[in-house]
Amino acid sequence: MDAISVIRTKRDRGELTPEQIDWVIDAYTRGEVADEQMSALAMAILLNGMNRTEIARWTAAMIASGERMNFDALSRPTTDKHSTGGVGDKITLPLAPLVAACGAAVPQLSGRGLGHTGGTLDKLESIPGWRAHLTNAEMLNVLDTTGAVICAAGDGLAPADKKLYALRDVTGTVEAIPLIASSIMSKKIAEGTGALVLDVKVGSGAFMKTIEDARELASTMVALGTDSGVRTVALLTDMSTPLGLTAGNALEVRESVEVLAGGGPRDVIDLTLALAREMLDAAGLKDADPEKALSDGSAMDVWRRMISAQGGDPDATLPTAREQHVVTAPASGVLTRLDAYDVGVAAWRLGAGRARKEDPVQAGAGVELHAKPGDTVTEGQPLMTLHTDTPEKFDYALKALPESYDIAPAGTSFSPLPVVRERIA
Ligand code: URA
């Protein structure tokens, strides 16, 4: 077997054999296939696709590149959620403790932000003392004692994906549906969850810009999960506008705590509850009442225990940025569009995100929204506040925003898209 013949097969629109797939993933993980060869293969896959049989084998080969976790010793059923990433998507923070408060165990292996989308670990690291990196034994202990754990995936889990994802990120090959589906599902299947709910984002702030592409990605991932014995459901959810009223690390933690305290923006509450119901259903806990667990404080209790168990202080004051800049409405009327991608880019440029994996992020940086599509605004009122420790970044962030919203004349009728657009099982 050699890399060139595998690349040629896909370049010429052929179907990769199981042997070719097993060999190329294993050889790439061991360093025998070079980055430039894997880049060529990833580009051929992006351009020419893979069928479901190839995707299933590719996923299995990535799982086989590392260890598989096992939660059989836990007394509760395990259920997990994965989002394909968006702007202001802090849902994991209230969701994991909420589902745990309803009787499930939630092993949430999360990632960091890259580009305009935020990362759950970066958000939680704005809580003083909180640790993202746990050993497998520590992770199991937090999960067992609190019902939920949010932490970094260990190096042993799907190492082929770690290497390949970093390569795709710098070779323009992230947006290939077969590669996204196998990347996400290899980690989730190796993680060993019994049930999985996928939040597939669609819209300007998501990888999938159209509902057709989101459907294709969702049904590919649902098939991969189901065929591997993981009860898998996907919701296609709106990412044309940011979720909630904040995009940025500590800003999003603050908003998540508001939701756990019984407040917070309607769209964040609705999506948290919709995903919680799906996760509990998939775990066989059909009688659980997540709305009650949110309003009676039991989800907040799990949050506090979970944060403390990972060294964080749930009562600590969250960091705030040193400088603010307010963007005001240039006219009165109805806000009919507020673009998720543009707000995400502005938050990233303010310091909330990173351009390279090794870059630090600012805990307090980001964008706070004062209006959402459908709201009536008055000329001169604040539309958004930009936060950063490095005010020289304001100009660059503002350059992302002039085309980011539309204000229609007062009285224009407007109905926002529903948060959950479709369900695929
Ligand atoms: N998230 C992943 O884990 N992998 C991808 O390829 C895209 C998003």
Side-chain angles (χ1 to χ4, degrees):
M1 201 72 78
D2 68 281
I4 300 168
S5 66
V6 180
I7 297 165
R8 281 192 183 129
T9 303
K10 196 38 79 183
R11 181 199 66 188
D12 298 340
R13 299 197 167 80
E15 177 175 342
L16 298 175
T17 64
E19 293 73 26
Q20 282 180 312
I21 291 172
D22 291 352
W23 178 81
V24 82
I25 295 283
D26 177 57
Y28 179 58
T29 312
R30 286 186 287 105
E32 190 183 325
V33 167
D35 275 349
E36 55 270 27
Q37 293 175 312
M38 197 50 148
S39 311
L41 181 58
M43 186 58 82
I45 291 169
L46 181 135
L47 296 173
N48 296 330
M50 286 203 284
N51 64 31
R52 290 280 170 100
T53 312
E54 290 172 291
I55 299 172
R57 190 70 181 210
W58 188 276
T59 307
M62 296 223 289
I63 295 168
S65 73
E67 64 184 4
R68 288 185 79 148
M69 300 191 70
N70 187 321
F71 299 121
D72 289 350
L74 295 175
S75 54
R76 300 158 168 231
T78 46
T79 185
D80 193 5
K81 184 252 349 180
H82 181 87
S83 159
T84 55
V87 178
D89 183 5
K90 70 275 299 169
I91 301 294
T92 294
L93 276 57
L95 180 65
L98 172 61
V99 173
C102 294
V106 187
Q108 183 78 59
L109 301 181
S110 298
R112 296 186 183 280
L114 199 61
H116 73 282
T117 62
T120 299
L121 301 180
D122 295 327
K123 294 171 199 184
L124 284 167
E125 275 177 350
S126 63
I127 301 174
W130 187 84
R131 276 194 307 127
H133 292 276
L134 304 180
T135 62
N136 285 357
E138 283 176 324
M139 180 198 170
L140 267 171
N141 184 43
V142 178
L143 186 58
D144 200 23
T145 52
T146 73
V149 62
I150 304 175
C151 62
D155 288 341
L157 209 74
D161 177 64
K162 280 206 177 62
K163 219 174 150 189
L164 181 55
Y165 190 73
L167 185 73
R168 287 166 56 212
D169 197 42
V170 293
T171 55
T173 51
V174 167
E175 294 88 347
I177 288 178
L179 296 179
I180 298 176
S182 54
S183 164
I184 291 173
M185 293 309 292
S186 62
K187 286 173 285 199
K188 289 294 157 184
I189 296 166
E191 168 199 289
T193 185
L196 176 65
V197 178
L198 297 160
D199 180 359
V200 178
K201 302 279 182 212
V202 54
S204 74
F207 280 127
M208 299 295 118
K209 309 290 181 203
T210 67
I211 195 88
E212 292 77 20
D213 281 351
R215 262 185 216 127
E216 168 72 18
L217 176 62
S219 59
T220 306
M221 292 195 292
V222 168
L224 285 171
T226 308
D227 291 349
S228 303
V230 181
R231 288 178 302 285
T232 310
V233 174
L235 297 184
L236 307 192
T237 72
D238 181 46
M239 190 32 71
S240 59
T241 202
L243 256 174
L245 294 169
T246 55
N249 300 311
L251 290 169
E252 293 191 46
V253 173
R254 191 194 70 200
E255 190 168 274
S256 304
V257 173
E258 282 165 17
V259 170
L260 287 162
R266 193 68 250 170
D267 57 346
V268 179
I269 301 168
D270 287 348
L271 184 54
T272 303
L273 286 172
L275 289 165
R277 286 189 198 102
E278 293 288 353
M279 287 170 74
L280 291 162
D281 235 39
L285 297 168
K286 294 191 192 303
D287 296 332
D289 185 352
E291 217 154 336
K292 180 164 172 294
L294 208 50
S295 60
D296 70 9
S298 45
M300 177 69 102
D301 291 343
V302 177
W303 162 264
R304 295 177 60 82
R305 287 203 298 274
M306 180 185 84
I307 295 300
S308 304
Q310 287 174 240
D313 176 359
D315 296 314
T317 308
L318 291 167
T320 48
R322 281 194 290 276
E323 306 279 343
Q324 279 80 34
H325 176 94
V326 177
V327 176
T328 55
S332 297
V334 180
L335 187 68
T336 52
R337 187 179 66 87
L338 179 58
D339 188 80
Y341 178 74
D342 291 348
V343 172
V345 170
W348 171 39
R349 290 181 179 175
L350 289 164
R354 52 171 69 78
R356 289 168 307 157
K357 279 204 306 293
E358 54 284 1
D359 291 347
V361 294
Q362 290 181 26
V367 178
E368 190 178 5
L369 305 173
H370 303 295
K372 291 283 293 258
D375 289 350
T376 299
V377 296
T378 313
E379 184 181 343
Q381 79 157 72
L383 263 192
M384 37 188 132
T385 303
L386 314 188
H387 298 254
T388 186
D389 291 333
T390 38
E392 62 276 15
K393 293 188 169 165
F394 280 136
D395 274 352
Y396 188 37
L398 285 165
K399 286 202 173 79
L401 293 172
E403 307 285 310
S404 65
Y405 55 85
D406 292 328
I407 298 174
T412 304
S413 85
F414 172 78
S415 13
L417 281 171
V419 180
V420 178
R421 297 190 57 184
E422 278 179 32
R423 178 180 190 274
I424 293 181

